[in-house]
Amino acid sequence: MSRKQTDGGLPVQTFHPGDSGYQSELAGYQLGFAQRPAVVFAAESAADVQRAVRYAAEHGLPVGVHATGHGLVGATTGGVLITTRRMDSLTVDAGRRTVRLSAGVSWGQVVAAAVPHGLAPLNGSAPSVGAVGYTLGGGLGILAREFGYAADHVRALEVVTADGALREVTAVSDPELFWGLLGGGANLGVVTALETALVPVARLYGGQLGFDGELFGERVLEEYLRWTATVPDGLTSSLQAIRWPDAEWAPAPVRGRYVVSVRVAFTGSAEEGERLVAPLRAIGPALTDDLREMAYAQSPSIHRDPEHAHPYYGNGAMLRGVTAAALSRALRLTGPEAPTMCVVQLNHLGGALAKPAPNAVPHRTAEFLLRVLTPFAKDQLPGVRALHQEVLGSLAPWTLGRSLNFTFGDAEFGGTKGLYGEDNEKRLAALKSLRDPANLFRSNNYNVVPA
């Protein structure tokens, strides 16, 4: 059974190993790695988070935070895990074009609240991703080239720091902590709410254009690389390569096939969008083509991320000056002859993503992000790790580092290396020593084990 913890105020529900509800409280989207905390605090408010942090400090336990569970939470084995899914309030201020949202809110909730006002958040491709964790990792969204990282638009952060205090942090009130929280992840405190800007976008031209990868794969890649050098900043795109399983749940046009697709989100007119994608359509006959004008509420259809929870391993490389030949090799290693299914995504960066901002989001000169993700069964994990190391190792000459948002691996593959950028690491370390000298928050240490 669950229990109650209190420090004189209203109690907060807690779960310990063996309690009824302990395992269900740990449930999330990522099933590949297990969390085994000594105690779980099921927070419903910022005050509950304060109680959890004070408890951890008193007992010398590390703290992790879990909202929707898309990413990994490290250092919770034997420690404290704070679940924030119950903290799901949000308020849109249409006049100021802002939204204030609590720690458990997903991007799908924010989109639904913003679109009636003709506004959009700088969300990612999957509606079920938690908005706060995504933003603390930078936030590379579907409109990123036009508007930059989600972290660039944050106005204020409500955070519980290692001393158990609840603080409202802005670029004016505490510029160094504000800088470090945005891009540094959850290593400096538990963000219980944030206020961020919305953008005046009500519709898009976008969708997917998919080709038979065995016939056109390398040609699609080469044309895509040429094409990205010509498009305006208002167009954000990515290339995906995936060997679809021959299963009933897979879409009929791509079932059992190796498919290379280009995904597009463009805020200009549909007529201009059609003109811009014409070079891609000229590559050859498409297996799928749903490029169209759409309401912003339909934007999840651009990437069609899976909604069901599953085990997956993933990593990525922020690239600059990479050659077509190097990327072609990465596609071959992960393509139809690969020993396991891989989902490869090449995100076009640049544009507003390259502009400086008062936060710790690194690698702003990167031109592309290559991501590799693999669903796996437990006995496949060593082989999956080896394949990812080979693929990303082959791109080392062009790699600036990694993206915190898209690191779904564990300590076996790099730990925190490359996540913050050389220029930021010393500054973040100094800030950590000042604001969390006992190293209470260790969410990015990847102290996790296979499930």
Side-chain angles (χ1 to χ4, degrees):
M1 59 183 293
S2 66
R3 311 169 201 184
K4 300 287 186 178
Q5 293 281 344
T6 182
D7 56 3
L10 294 174
V12 54
Q13 189 173 26
T14 61
F15 299 88
H16 296 74
D19 287 348
S20 174
Y22 174 83
Q23 289 298 334
S24 61
E25 191 64 24
L26 300 180
Y29 188 82
Q30 165 65 278
L31 302 182
F33 297 87
Q35 301 177 79
R36 296 168 184 163
V39 56
V40 183
F41 281 75
E44 297 184 18
S45 66
D48 288 347
V49 174
Q50 289 181 275
R51 294 184 185 100
V53 170
R54 289 167 181 160
Y55 175 92
E58 290 169 5
H59 293 81
L61 299 175
V63 176
V65 186
H66 178 92
T68 62
H70 277 251
L72 290 174
V73 177
T76 58
T77 297
V80 171
L81 180 68
I82 303 171
T83 58
T84 63
R85 65 174 66 99
R86 296 168 181 81
M87 299 171 64
D88 61 353
S89 64
L90 73 154
T91 304
V92 171
D93 186 328
R96 296 177 60 236
R97 293 180 179 172
T98 61
V99 59
R100 187 174 180 91
L101 53 96
S102 296
V105 170
S106 69
W107 276 127
Q109 293 172 273
V110 185
V111 171
V115 293
H117 305 284
L119 300 171
L122 295 176
N123 57 287
S125 59
S128 59
V129 166
V132 167
Y134 162 99
T135 303
L136 298 184
L140 180 64
I142 60 174
L143 303 179
R145 280 178 40 81
E146 182 169 3
F147 296 105
Y149 288 99
D152 300 345
H153 297 264
V154 173
R155 305 281 182 85
L157 297 155
E158 182 186 88
V159 57
V160 177
T161 47
D163 58 1
L166 180 66
R167 307 174 189 276
E168 186 82 2
V169 176
T170 70
V172 174
S173 70
D174 194 336
E176 192 68 2
L177 184 57
F178 183 83
W179 172 87
L181 287 167
L182 295 168
N187 273 343
L188 295 167
V190 181
V191 172
T192 53
L194 63 79
E195 180 182 308
T196 190
L198 301 170
V199 295
V201 174
R203 44 138 319 269
L204 291 172
Y205 172 86
Q208 287 196 20
L209 185 62
F211 298 91
D212 185 324
E214 297 195 62
L215 292 176
F216 298 106
E218 291 201 19
R219 183 179 171 190
V220 174
L221 173 63
E222 291 169 359
E223 291 296 330
Y224 177 71
L225 293 176
R226 280 193 284 267
W227 179 73
T228 55
T230 70
V231 298
D233 292 351
L235 192 152
T236 303
S237 68
S238 62
L239 178 146
Q240 183 193 66
I242 178 174
R243 181 181 65 187
W244 286 92
D246 188 7
E248 289 187 5
W249 58 264
V254 299
R255 189 176 300 157
R257 307 180 79 158
Y258 178 59
V259 180
V260 178
S261 304
V262 178
R263 288 87 66 83
V264 171
F266 176 54
T267 57
S269 69
E271 293 76 15
E272 180 64 4
E274 286 287 315
R275 186 190 70 78
L276 288 169
V277 301
L280 300 176
R281 286 204 171 109
I283 291 171
L287 295 175
T288 62
D289 182 351
D290 67 355
L291 292 166
R292 69 202 187 279
E293 187 167 36
M294 67 180 74
Y296 194 81
Q298 296 176 302
S299 61
S301 68
I302 295 173
H303 290 77
R304 305 173 203 159
D305 292 311
E307 298 179 1
H308 60 282
H310 59 284
Y312 52 96
Y313 188 90
N315 222 311
M318 301 289 279
L319 303 170
R320 181 173 176 82
V322 68
T323 65
L327 291 171
S328 291
R329 181 167 185 251
L331 285 194
R332 288 194 296 272
L333 288 170
T334 56
E337 304 306 316
T340 186
M341 175 187 174
C342 291
V343 183
V344 176
Q345 182 165 309
L346 183 69
N347 288 80
H348 181 209
L349 306 179
L353 294 165
K355 296 178 180 178
N359 58 53
V361 180
H363 314 311
R364 288 183 179 264
T365 61
E367 298 162 337
F368 293 96
L369 165 63
L370 184 90
R371 299 158 52 188
V372 185
L373 187 147
T374 300
F376 68 92
K378 187 174 182 179
D379 60 350
Q380 296 174 319
L381 188 54
V384 170
R385 285 196 190 109
L387 177 59
H388 283 223
Q389 288 171 341
E390 182 179 9
V391 174
L392 297 178
S394 72
L395 295 168
W398 303 278
T399 298
L400 301 179
R402 297 186 290 155
S403 170
L404 184 58
N405 280 143
F406 303 110
T407 304
F408 307 120
D410 54 17
E412 295 292 327
F413 191 178
T416 61
K417 183 178 179 181
L419 292 177
Y420 307 111
E422 292 182 9
D423 293 341
N424 291 346
E425 282 184 359
K426 290 182 180 180
R427 186 175 171 184
L428 283 168
L431 183 59
K432 175 76 169 176
S433 296
L434 179 66
R435 305 306 287 259
D436 183 17
N439 195 22
L440 194 67
F441 305 113
R442 307 180 206 169
S443 288
N444 300 340
N445 286 356
Y446 295 98
N447 178 25
V448 293
V449 295

